[in-house]
Amino acid sequence: DAMVIQNPRYQVTQFGKPVTLSCSQTLNHNVMYWYQQKSSQAPKLLFHYYDKDFNNEADTPDNFQSRRPNTSFCFLDIRSPGLGDAAMYLCATSKTSGSVRDRDTQYFGPGTRLTVL
Amino acid sequence: QKEVEQDPGPLSVPEGAIVSLNCTYSNSAFQYFMWYRQYSRKGPELLMYTYSSGNKEDGRFTAQVDKSSKYISLFIRDSQPSDSATYLCAMSAFYGQNFVFGPGTRLSVLP
């Protein structure tokens, strides 16, 4: 089945130790998103790739970087995690072709829960 | 004022009840409206999609959009314990990008 896969599902890191979260998709969607979701809060968009074009949200800290080496993969790098970065990180994809509904549907991965010690 | 407001709950209902979940928003440019269901420790999954105002029904779920009031609703008929999850509304002005999510309402359906 076509899907969005995130690895690992659970990640524990130490304060200040760089960490990379990965996302892959078999949907062949051209848009990929990274969200941060803290407990009982809405997912907060960090950045997204529209094809190869990187779009950073204005309030995304510099500590967060992303790479998209090809259509299928996207990485979230946290250079120096702080305690406040502990959260669920969600990857999502969408496409900009097809019906209006197709274009508006975001497909989410299961998330990676990051713990910072 | 937050762009999208949603009562966080928790909302507890008995099995078989009709559930009403609501979001209000402030940006009149929003025209694409979605409801996502998120089970604990999982990513959100799309439940309902509505463009502009009106109603849409899919099985036990009905989505309503009232753009004049900037108010959207999700109704769940004959609620089941398996409906227990957090329900997030999301909306955008432009297709495919710049989604804004509500904080979610946590629903518990008690057997």
Side-chain angles (χ1 to χ4, degrees):
Chain A
D1 285 341
M3 56 175 56
V4 181
I5 301 163
Q6 288 187 247
N7 285 305
R9 293 292 311 279
Y10 300 90
Q11 176 73 56
V12 180
T13 191
Q14 291 180 328
F15 184 94
K17 186 175 181 181
V19 65
T20 295
L21 310 182
S22 74
C23 177
S24 64
Q25 54 124 341
T26 60
L27 298 162
N28 203 31
H29 284 173
N30 61 321
V31 189
M32 293 187 79
Y33 310 79
W34 278 106
Y35 289 87
Q36 179 193 63
Q37 187 179 27
K38 296 187 177 180
S39 181
S40 303
Q41 295 184 25
K44 178 181 179 298
L45 184 63
L46 295 174
F47 21 61
H48 72 276
Y49 279 92
Y50 183 82
D51 293 315
K52 294 182 180 179
D53 293 334
F54 177 69
N55 298 271
N56 199 28
E57 293 300 299
D59 57 354
T60 298
D62 292 340
N63 200 23
F64 291 85
Q65 304 286 321
S66 184
R67 296 169 283 138
R68 188 179 187 187
N70 54 53
T71 300
S72 301
F73 285 87
C74 197
F75 299 97
L76 170 61
D77 301 307
I78 309 175
R79 291 192 295 190
S80 182
L83 298 179
D85 297 327
M88 173 82 89
Y89 289 88
L90 296 163
C91 173
T93 73
S94 69
K95 63 180 181 180
T96 53
S97 60
S99 68
V100 173
R101 186 192 194 282
D102 282 348
R103 295 196 296 262
D104 275 334
T105 299
Q106 288 194 7
Y107 293 85
F108 284 84
T112 294
R113 183 166 295 280
L114 177 68
T115 300
V116 181
L117 301 177
Chain B
Q1 182 189 10
K2 291 183 180 176
E3 208 165 7
V4 179
E5 307 252 16
Q6 192 175 1
D7 187 336
L11 176 63
S12 293
V13 300
E15 184 175 356
I18 296 174
V19 177
S20 172
L21 304 167
N22 311 296
C23 284
T24 58
Y25 61 94
S26 57
N27 187 348
S28 58
F30 288 146
Q31 51 183 338
Y32 303 96
F33 303 93
M34 288 135 285
W35 284 95
Y36 283 83
R37 177 175 61 195
Q38 186 175 22
Y39 290 112
S40 181
R41 301 183 182 277
K42 296 282 181 67
E45 57 176 326
L46 183 70
L47 263 184
M48 300 287 286
Y49 166 86
T50 311
Y51 169 67
S52 194
S53 285
N55 295 358
K56 184 172 184 179
E57 188 174 323
D58 183 0
R60 295 185 296 111
F61 299 91
T62 300
Q64 285 185 352
V65 174
D66 182 348
K67 289 188 69 180
S68 62
S69 302
K70 299 191 183 72
Y71 187 89
I72 69 170
S73 300
L74 177 70
F75 297 96
I76 308 174
R77 290 185 301 281
D78 188 24
S79 56
Q80 304 294 310
S82 59
D83 295 327
S84 298
T86 296
Y87 290 79
L88 300 152
C89 62
M91 46 199 80
S92 68
F94 304 104
Y95 61 79
Q97 297 183 35
N98 298 325
F99 284 65
V100 180
F101 282 84
T105 298
R106 189 152 55 93
L107 171 68
S108 292
V109 181
L110 307 173

